[in-house]
């Protein structure tokens, strides 16, 4: 959800009251055995001299070598903000700050030639009008596709009271006009545009921006109408941290809310596992007891619906804009965790290239691929203490994170260290 300054209120204190809910049994996204996502941009990539698409194309080989299967690219359309998150003329891909339509197609082809698929950042909750404070939109084509009027804007949009559509079905967005997704014309023409991104541009799937902004039943409609290869929703909500290890260590409400969003969206979409991110970035500060729930499972979405979880450490919002960032000196502990555990891991551009972590991260992705660790792999947590976390995944690898060096006999004797770094190590079976 790239909503600029107002986003901070969604995740920072005061936090929502903790509520323990029942675990959910969900249909699982039918991902390939090996799926590894890469976020191919950050918040300032739009300012890259010569164009971001022309720059990223030079990284294709490195990402293929690391085993990346999908790359998430930034919003491709004309936008009132350079970053792309206030889109207007959706069919106009030549006015993007990241590059033009031909450069985007060339980039996607270069990825495809290396066996990597591309997903588009789909910003459909809101839209920028042609004239300030009006409800008039142009689609960016010679015909009337996506040329909308007041009928397409929610009637209860307080910041822009020009809409005559249905009331908003989700959380309002205060920097642009909230679109009425209950309108059949809106649903049809947005679905057509997304399918055009597939057939004409080469995208295979979506990252749904600000998924809290409209009902999950709407997400289900777009999933059904466009049949993406991979789709992930940004359902970002408050997370209540428990301060005392004697309390129930399970942030159930937060992950169950995400799981219920997945279920209401049809069950075949994935969601960013904000629960795992939030608990993990607190746990690496010598609070690794947080990494096991009351049932002995991982405490995030991966503990109840791993096939629907996309795990990550940081992204263009959390790190680039310093909204809820992971501790920078613990980032590799985070990657050691998500790259060895179930869920679909997502790697952030800055960490891989700008921070010089390409080799360290690639060693762990190679272990994941070599051992067939998948989104639905099993986890046996062997230790979860303040300074030590150890887990066995699929009886194929062990992973340790934490400042405690000695692991005693927690690692079986027929395993050997395959890679290690500051406060982490990964073992493979001999």
């Amino acid at each position: 959800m790239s909503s600029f300054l107002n986003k901070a209120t969604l995740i920072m204190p005061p936090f929502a009251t903790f509520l323990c809910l029942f675990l959910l049994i969900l249909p699982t996204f039918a991902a390939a055995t090996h799926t590894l996502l890469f976020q191919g941009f950050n918040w300032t990539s739009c300012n890259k001299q010569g164009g971001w698409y022309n720059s990223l194309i030079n990284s294709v080989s490195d990402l293929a070598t690391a085993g990346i299967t999908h790359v998430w690219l930034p919003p491709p359309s004309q936008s009132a903000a350079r970053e792309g998150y206030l889109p207007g003329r959706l069919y106009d891909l030549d006015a993007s700050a990241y590059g033009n339509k031909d450069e985007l197609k060339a980039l996607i082809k270069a990825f495809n030639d290396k066996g990597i698929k591309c997903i588009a950042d789909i910003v459909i909750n809101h839209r920028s009008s042609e004239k300030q404070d009006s409800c008039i939109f142009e689609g960016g084509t010679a015909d009337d596709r996506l040329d909308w009027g007041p009928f397409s804007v929610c009637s209860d949009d307080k910041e822009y009271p020009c809409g005559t559509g249905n009331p908003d079905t989700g959380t309002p967005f205060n920097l642009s006009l909230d679109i009425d997704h209950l309108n059949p014309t809106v649903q049809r023409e947005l679905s057509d545009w997304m399918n055009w991104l597939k057939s004409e541009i080469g995208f295979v799937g979506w990252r749904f921006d600000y998924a809290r902004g409209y009902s999950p039943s709407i997400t289900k409609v777009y999933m059904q109408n466009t049949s993406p290869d991979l789709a992930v929703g940004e359902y970002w909500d408050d997370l209540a941290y428990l301060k005392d290890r004697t309390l129930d260590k399970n942030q159930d409400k937060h992950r169950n809310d995400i799981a219920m969003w997945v279920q209401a969206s049809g069950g075949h979409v994935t969601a960013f596992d904000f629960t795992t991110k939030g608990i993990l970035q607190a746990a690496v500060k010598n609070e690794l007891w947080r990494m096991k729930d009351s049932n002995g499972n991982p405490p995030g979405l991966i503990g109840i619906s791993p096939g629907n979880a996309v795990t990550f450490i940081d992204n263009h919002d959390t790190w680039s804009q310093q909204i809820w960032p992971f501790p920078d000196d613990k980032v590799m502990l985070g990657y050691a965790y998500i790259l060895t555990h179930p869920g679909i891991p997502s790697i952030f551009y800055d960490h891989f290239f700008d921070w010089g972590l390409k080799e360290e991260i690639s060693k762990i992705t190679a272990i994941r691929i070599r051992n067939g660790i998948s989104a639905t792999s099993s986890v046996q947590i062997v230790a979860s203490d303040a300074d030590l976390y150890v887990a066995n995944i699929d009886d194929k690898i062990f992973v340790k994170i934490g400042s405690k060096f000695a692991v005693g006999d927690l690692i079986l004797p027929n395993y050997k260290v395959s890679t290690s770094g500051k406060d982490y190590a990964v073992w493979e079976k001999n």
Side-chain angles (χ1 to χ4, degrees):
M1 174 194 63
S2 300
S3 58
F4 303 86
L5 297 178
N6 72 316
K7 183 181 297 182
T9 63
L10 294 176
I11 197 68
M12 304 301 287
F15 295 115
T17 302
F18 174 79
L19 175 63
C20 183
L21 300 178
F22 61 90
L23 300 184
L24 299 173
I25 300 175
L26 300 174
T28 298
F29 174 75
T33 300
H34 166 55
T35 305
L36 191 56
L37 179 64
F38 183 86
Q39 182 176 3
F41 65 101
N42 61 33
W43 189 250
T44 61
S45 296
C46 55
N47 300 322
K48 181 71 175 180
Q49 187 174 6
W52 186 248
Y53 299 150
N54 291 333
S55 175
L56 187 60
I57 201 169
N58 298 314
S59 302
V60 171
S61 293
D62 283 341
L63 296 177
T65 299
I68 300 299
T69 62
H70 294 75
V71 172
W72 159 23
L73 297 179
S77 302
Q78 177 271 337
S79 168
R82 290 181 59 82
E83 297 83 6
Y85 290 96
L86 296 178
R89 300 188 301 272
L90 295 180
Y91 277 102
D92 185 358
L93 307 192
D94 288 323
S96 168
Y98 297 100
N100 61 39
K101 176 181 174 182
D102 289 340
E103 292 165 347
L104 174 58
K105 292 178 71 172
L107 174 63
I108 292 176
K109 183 181 184 302
F111 276 121
N112 291 169
D113 288 346
K114 290 290 189 178
I116 299 173
K117 302 174 182 180
C118 296
I119 68 173
D121 205 324
I122 299 298
V123 186
I124 55 176
N125 168 75
H126 50 272
R127 194 173 173 194
S128 294
S129 58
E130 289 298 310
K131 297 180 180 179
Q132 188 175 6
D133 298 339
S134 77
C135 286
I136 305 299
F137 306 96
E138 293 182 9
T141 65
D143 53 31
D144 62 356
R145 286 175 294 170
L146 293 175
D147 291 352
W148 297 343
F151 74 89
S152 65
V153 177
C154 295
S155 58
D156 56 352
D157 190 326
K158 295 180 180 179
E159 288 78 23
Y160 304 92
C162 55
T164 61
N166 292 289
D168 202 338
T169 60
T171 304
F173 182 86
N174 62 15
L175 295 178
S176 191
L177 293 92
D178 288 303
I179 296 303
D180 173 19
H181 289 277
L182 295 178
N183 186 288
T185 298
V186 169
Q187 290 185 10
R188 182 182 69 253
E189 294 194 1
L190 282 178
S191 297
D192 289 345
W193 170 68
M194 292 164 70
N195 282 322
W196 176 81
L197 289 177
K198 291 174 66 178
S199 62
E200 174 65 21
I201 308 304
F203 287 108
V204 302
W206 325 120
R207 179 261 185 184
F208 288 110
D209 177 73
Y210 195 33
R212 296 174 70 247
Y214 47 90
S215 168
S217 63
I218 300 299
T219 304
K220 183 178 181 180
V221 168
Y222 295 126
M223 288 289 292
Q224 292 172 338
N225 289 351
T226 65
S227 302
D229 175 81
L230 174 66
V232 53
E234 183 203 36
Y235 190 88
W236 187 354
D237 207 351
D238 293 359
L239 174 60
Y241 286 106
L242 300 179
K243 300 301 184 182
D244 190 331
R245 67 177 297 168
T246 64
L247 297 175
D248 183 356
K249 297 185 281 288
N250 199 358
Q251 273 77 14
D252 278 339
K253 182 184 186 305
H254 193 265
R255 66 176 178 180
N256 282 342
D257 285 348
I258 301 175
M260 287 188 288
W261 178 85
V262 168
Q263 184 181 54
S265 298
H268 299 290
V269 69
T270 66
F272 287 109
D273 192 348
F274 282 96
T275 316
T276 288
K277 172 183 165 55
I279 296 175
L280 182 58
Q281 67 186 38
V284 293
K285 300 175 183 179
N286 283 327
E287 297 179 0
L288 287 165
W289 52 266
R290 294 182 181 273
M291 299 313 300
K292 182 169 68 172
D293 70 16
S294 56
N295 295 310
N297 298 317
L301 184 61
I302 60 172
I304 57 173
S305 188
N308 296 101
V310 174
T311 53
F312 71 106
I313 302 303
D314 269 320
N315 61 30
H316 63 298
D317 290 322
T318 63
W319 174 254
S320 299
Q321 300 185 76
Q322 289 293 286
I323 303 172
W324 211 44
F326 205 92
D328 56 5
D329 61 335
K330 308 290 187 182
V331 160
M332 275 310 304
L333 276 70
Y335 279 113
Y337 182 90
I338 69 169
L339 291 173
T340 57
H341 279 62
I344 298 172
S346 179
I347 300 169
F348 183 39
Y349 179 93
D350 288 28
H351 294 155
F352 195 79
F353 289 113
D354 295 347
W355 290 32
L357 299 179
K358 178 175 66 175
E359 298 303 325
E360 272 192 275
I361 290 174
S362 295
K363 288 179 181 178
I364 307 178
T365 62
I367 293 171
R368 183 182 184 88
I369 295 167
R370 191 159 58 237
N371 289 276
I373 306 303
S374 73
T376 56
S377 286
S378 62
V379 179
Q380 179 187 4
I381 298 174
V382 180
S384 185
D385 299 320
D387 56 356
L388 178 66
Y389 173 88
V390 178
N392 177 284
I393 295 87
D394 283 348
D395 290 325
K396 295 178 179 178
I397 64 175
F398 276 92
V399 61
K400 169 261 181 185
I401 61 174
S403 58
K404 185 175 182 179
F405 179 79
V407 294
D409 58 358
L410 296 177
I411 310 299
L412 298 179
N414 58 330
Y415 285 76
K416 64 177 181 180
V417 173
S418 292
T419 189
S420 62
K422 179 175 171 51
D423 294 339
Y424 78 88
V426 183
W427 292 256
E428 291 182 89
K429 186 177 290 186
N430 274 331

